[in-house]
Amino acid sequence: MMNGGATTMRNRGRVALVASALMMTTALVPFVLVTPAQAQQAGQNGIDGQYEFDIPAQSLTRALAQFGVQSGLQVTVDGALVRGLEGRAVTGTMRADTALEVLLGGSGLNYDVTGDGTVVIEALQTGAAADGEVLDPVRVEATGVELSGPNDAITDSFVANRSRTASKTDTPVLDDSAAVSVVTQKELETRNVQDVQQAVAYTAGVQAGEYGSDVRYDYVRLRGFYSSLSTYRDGLSSRTYNFTTARQEPYGLQQVDILKGSTSSLFGMNGPGGLVNLVTKRPEDEASGEVFTTFGENHLRGGGDVTGPVAEDSNWTYRLTGLWQDAERAQDYSQDDRIYIAPAFTYAPKAGTELTLLTSYSNRESNLGYGFPTGIETSRDAFFGEPDFNNFDTEETNLGYALSHQITDKLEFRQNARYTHVDLDYETVYLNDTTPLGNRSAFAIYGELDRFAVDNQMEYDTAVNDNLDSKTLVGIDFNRDQNREKRFDGTASPIDPYNPVYCGTSCINFSSSSDTEITQSSYGLYAQEQLTIADDWIATVGGRFDYVQSDVDTISSGTVEERDDHKFTSRLGLTYKATDEVSVYGNYSESFQPVYSSTSSLPGGAKPQEGTQYEVGLKYQPAGMDAMFTAALFDLTQENVSQWNADYSAHRQVGEINSRGVELEGKMSLDDRTNMTLAYTYLDAEIKEDVITTNIGNRPEMVPEHTASAWLDHTIPEHGAFGDLTFGGGLRFVGSRYNNNANASLLGSHTVVDAMVNYMVTDNVSVAINATNLFDREYVSSNTFGSRFYGDGRTVLATLKYSW
């Protein structure tokens, strides 16, 4: 072997490893991307040859892959060695060994060249190895997740080691001083999730599906707090004002990130519990696709997803995702019809510059999930409304893009933007009495939402010296939401809940109406510094100033309410890398959540809800297996909490709520055949201040003390004429919780079981069956607003899929 490489590298005392895995998503990528001319030149000149390089600063995994493509050299590496490391920029015509030395500079890695010209990346040799003693090679197969970048879909593992959500930079999860969970595309597909609530249901710190069969919105509670501002799409807010919004289609997602804790120092106005960031499927360089059909009881769905280069040697790649669904839910007179189509294109004219166009159209025709007034004991699928006036129909159009440009080897500009338009038709009649001929109320909302969001980021990465690296992020964002809703309130003829007879729309009488337009514009300026000290300490300091304008124009009465709020929020974090596999972190962070004027009957409007959090945690990512284990302890307080009053006629500000707890989570793809997730959350939540003094010291409504979940699936490999057979199952437990802040009534705990089986008929054809609430457990998911809401019953869906 011929030795070479970087000479000023920090030694961590690791034994040199002989790698067996190649870069990027498959072991053959460097070979596939090498042209015959390059291969011939590499064979003639090898590591001593001169080549033209254009490799931007990026993760070392991707940088080495580009080095192999541009030089024509075969490169191998142990994925554990390069996990979390950054490669320096290399630009110009130079010898391959010179380029590799620059690329590996400061990484603590070296390289060897084998007799057949293969470049092997390894740790510096020290001790006995440096003195000539030959050690047995250690071979570790790198997994797809170890080789993926933050924008790549993870299709072969439940584990993600990188995410942009926690810091808005390409930072390994192990290095982030915050708790972040990632649901990969592999996990989404394995569990065949049908909505965002199902996607996050196996995540620590998350309580999903609070209103059971109510399918208007995705109800997600984070660390005990629910916020209508906590949903993001590709890092841009998808917050909800009043009623007009649309649920997101999970088939259009390649990943779901759950960032827990106060996040306002980066994302602006948000609840204290955290946020859910939905990552849209993006075009891929390699051509692939699938078509499928799903069917079940009163359920039929078809769809497909294709991606790849627009043409050979083109700078454009594309992706087209779509589905159609004609379905009913378990409740009488319900439906869940969907049309979704999402074309996307990526243009990459040169290394370091990329523009991705993300568009989508979604049309849903669905209904409400009804609560049952206390005292009524009947089937959970009973219907007390009017079949002809029972709609929650939404139509959503999105036009957006993500732009990134490497200005220099150290400076990168990014811009994400999206325009959204939503139309809502919301019509319902509901029972509000328990007498034999119960009185019914009628309600309708016709809404229209226009939203524009843009986030501009400038990131500067540099090595100050051998022991100090700096990653500086500066950003400015703007969000504008304009939501106009026409509302009608009235009554409908009484109905016998035990023998319902429907009367149609002729028995509905509206007695009042309103026409309201809510406009909220927010401007945010933020900055963040990540300092890596001696490779072991990572200090994160961030701050943000937000200015929010909220206008409520009640057109029907001619009144206008205006309110301006502003706040500076900060975040301080520190991570200590005890080893390459273990990190310990702590953080202090703040949240800022304005309340638009019409939700408060208080003089002068409601004060912004503000939160603070203290958190410490531990993360473990073992090198010998594809897994991530995390533990977090947190103490979170929110002030000026706004909630409904006793008869739900107006909002009031409760005062102060504290939530302390522990989160434990593990995600594992133990081998090519076994995946597992484990999650447990303990919450000690308490009302610290309240205008109703008897509530002080009580537990906030609908917040359980314990939640837990577990999922396991295993594949029996093909044998003879039989293909791969995968079995899986999971448990979701939600502990008891109180129905209201007075803690007068306790709602019991419940556990539901999910299951799946998948059989590979051929290498390209699969048949899967997924069941949620397998044993059809009947349970009350919540008992609020004077009604009980039942959880979904058993649902069984079979899917036939052809992939290529």
Side-chain angles (χ1 to χ4, degrees), residues 282-482:
R282 298 176 180 233
E284 298 180 351
D285 295 333
E286 185 177 349
S288 64
E290 66 178 32
V291 291
F292 73 94
T293 181
T294 299
F295 48 93
E297 184 178 1
N298 300 317
H299 186 109
L300 180 62
R301 168 189 274 206
D305 181 19
V306 292
T307 185
V310 171
E312 187 176 358
D313 298 326
S314 173
N315 292 327
W316 288 87
T317 54
Y318 78 96
R319 189 159 193 166
L320 179 62
T321 307
L323 67 82
W324 166 89
Q325 178 173 298
D326 183 1
E328 298 178 6
R329 293 186 175 270
Q331 193 173 40
D332 297 340
Y333 302 102
S334 66
Q335 63 179 355
D336 185 12
D337 299 343
R338 309 181 193 179
I339 295 175
Y340 176 81
I341 184 167
F345 297 90
T346 294
Y347 175 57
K350 63 178 182 178
T353 300
E354 186 173 281
L355 173 66
T356 298
L357 305 176
L358 298 169
T359 68
S360 67
Y361 171 80
S362 177
N363 189 310
R364 282 178 174 244
E365 296 182 359
S366 62
N367 315 101
L368 292 76
Y370 287 94
F372 292 77
T374 303
I376 290 181
E377 300 296 335
T378 185
S379 167
R380 59 181 167 176
D381 299 330
F383 177 70
F384 305 136
E386 284 298 326
D388 296 332
F389 200 76
N390 180 41
N391 303 299
F392 193 89
D393 300 341
T394 60
E395 186 176 24
E396 180 184 67
T397 302
N398 285 292
L399 301 173
Y401 64 85
L403 169 68
S404 63
H405 175 61
Q406 196 77 35
I407 300 173
T408 69
D409 61 337
K410 300 178 180 179
L411 184 64
E412 181 182 24
F413 172 75
R414 297 188 293 269
Q415 184 182 75
N416 298 333
R418 183 178 65 244
Y419 166 75
T420 301
H421 179 81
V422 179
D423 289 310
L424 168 69
D425 290 340
Y426 177 178
E427 301 170 329
T428 182
V429 170
Y430 60 94
L431 187 65
N432 60 3
D433 201 341
T434 59
T435 59
L437 287 176
N439 294 319
R440 295 187 297 169
S441 296
F443 177 77
I445 289 280
Y446 303 99
E448 186 173 324
L449 170 69
D450 287 287
R451 169 182 294 128
F452 176 73
V454 60
D455 185 12
N456 303 281
Q457 304 170 17
M458 192 75 76
E459 182 178 330
Y460 183 73
D461 297 353
T462 186
V464 179
N465 54 48
D466 290 342
N467 293 314
L468 184 63
D469 292 331
S470 170
K471 184 182 292 185
T472 305
L473 176 71
V474 177
I476 183 170
D477 61 26
F478 171 73
N479 293 267
R480 186 179 188 272
D481 295 80
Q482 187 174 45

Side-chain angles (χ1 to χ4, degrees), residues 662-695:
V662 178
E663 294 167 353
L664 304 175
E665 184 173 277
K667 286 182 177 285
M668 295 148 276
S669 286
L670 302 177
D671 49 39
D672 291 339
R673 300 193 300 271
T674 307
N675 301 297
M676 179 183 294
T677 70
L678 300 169
Y680 168 74
T681 306
Y682 168 76
L683 284 178
D684 178 16
E686 182 181 349
I687 299 174
K688 294 291 188 179
E689 295 181 11
D690 199 318
V691 293
I692 302 175
T693 57
T694 55
N695 287 348

Side-chain angles (χ1 to χ4, degrees), residues 111-371:
Y111 71 88
D112 283 325
V113 182
T114 64
D116 62 1
T118 299
V119 178
V120 181
I121 308 300
E122 59 184 23
L124 283 173
Q125 295 183 351
T126 59
D131 293 336
E133 181 179 340
V134 179
L135 303 177
D136 292 334
V138 179
R139 296 182 179 269
V140 180
E141 182 177 355
T143 64
V145 64
E146 290 170 340
L147 303 177
S148 63
N151 295 324
D152 296 330
I154 300 174
T155 59
D156 59 353
S157 175
F158 274 36
V159 184
N161 72 329
R162 310 184 79 86
S163 168
R164 282 195 183 273
T165 300
S167 63
K168 287 193 176 181
T169 65
D170 182 9
T171 300
V173 173
L174 200 65
D175 294 354
D176 275 320
S177 57
V180 57
S181 299
V182 179
V183 183
T184 66
Q185 187 171 333
K186 172 68 172 179
E187 185 175 352
L188 293 172
E189 293 176 349
T190 300
R191 295 197 280 111
N192 192 23
V193 301
Q194 300 297 300
D195 55 49
V196 172
Q197 295 179 142
Q198 289 185 7
V200 301
Y202 284 84
T203 303
V206 174
Q207 180 187 350
E210 184 170 315
Y211 290 99
S213 59
D214 187 343
V215 296
R216 293 174 297 169
Y217 311 103
D218 290 304
Y219 299 97
V220 177
R221 203 178 272 270
L222 299 169
R223 290 186 170 175
F225 291 90
Y226 170 76
S227 171
S228 61
L229 309 181
S230 64
T231 301
Y232 284 71
R233 184 73 178 255
D234 299 318
L236 300 173
S237 174
S238 294
R239 57 179 62 102
T240 301
Y241 299 95
N242 268 16
F243 297 95
T244 305
T245 193
R247 300 182 82 184
Q248 300 301 303
E249 176 53 57
Y251 187 64
L253 305 178
Q254 70 177 33
Q255 184 169 301
V256 178
D257 295 345
I258 303 98
L259 175 59
K260 287 163 277 190
S262 302
T263 61
S264 291
S265 65
L266 275 179
F267 291 91
M269 53 181 178
N270 206 347
L275 61 85
V276 177
N277 185 32
L278 311 175
V279 182
T280 304
K281 286 180 176 178
R282 298 176 180 233
E284 298 180 351
D285 295 333
E286 185 177 349
S288 64
E290 66 178 32
V291 291
F292 73 94
T293 181
T294 299
F295 48 93
E297 184 178 1
N298 300 317
H299 186 109
L300 180 62
R301 168 189 274 206
D305 181 19
V306 292
T307 185
V310 171
E312 187 176 358
D313 298 326
S314 173
N315 292 327
W316 288 87
T317 54
Y318 78 96
R319 189 159 193 166
L320 179 62
T321 307
L323 67 82
W324 166 89
Q325 178 173 298
D326 183 1
E328 298 178 6
R329 293 186 175 270
Q331 193 173 40
D332 297 340
Y333 302 102
S334 66
Q335 63 179 355
D336 185 12
D337 299 343
R338 309 181 193 179
I339 295 175
Y340 176 81
I341 184 167
F345 297 90
T346 294
Y347 175 57
K350 63 178 182 178
T353 300
E354 186 173 281
L355 173 66
T356 298
L357 305 176
L358 298 169
T359 68
S360 67
Y361 171 80
S362 177
N363 189 310
R364 282 178 174 244
E365 296 182 359
S366 62
N367 315 101
L368 292 76
Y370 287 94

Side-chain angles (χ1 to χ4, degrees), residues 617-662:
L618 175 71
K619 301 178 183 181
Y620 173 49
Q621 187 173 24
M625 62 187 296
D626 186 13
M628 177 75 75
F629 302 94
T630 60
L633 290 82
F634 57 89
D635 189 322
L636 198 162
T637 300
Q638 187 181 35
E639 299 176 345
N640 303 324
V641 179
S642 179
Q643 292 186 351
W644 289 104
N645 62 3
D647 61 359
Y648 303 102
S649 60
H651 269 71
R652 59 181 174 80
Q653 293 193 279
V654 172
E656 181 178 313
I657 291 178
N658 176 256
S659 178
R660 299 180 297 176
V662 178

Side-chain angles (χ1 to χ4, degrees), residues 4-9 101 109-110 124:
T7 57
T8 56
M9 303 176 182
E101 289 184 15
L109 301 178
N110 203 339
L124 283 173

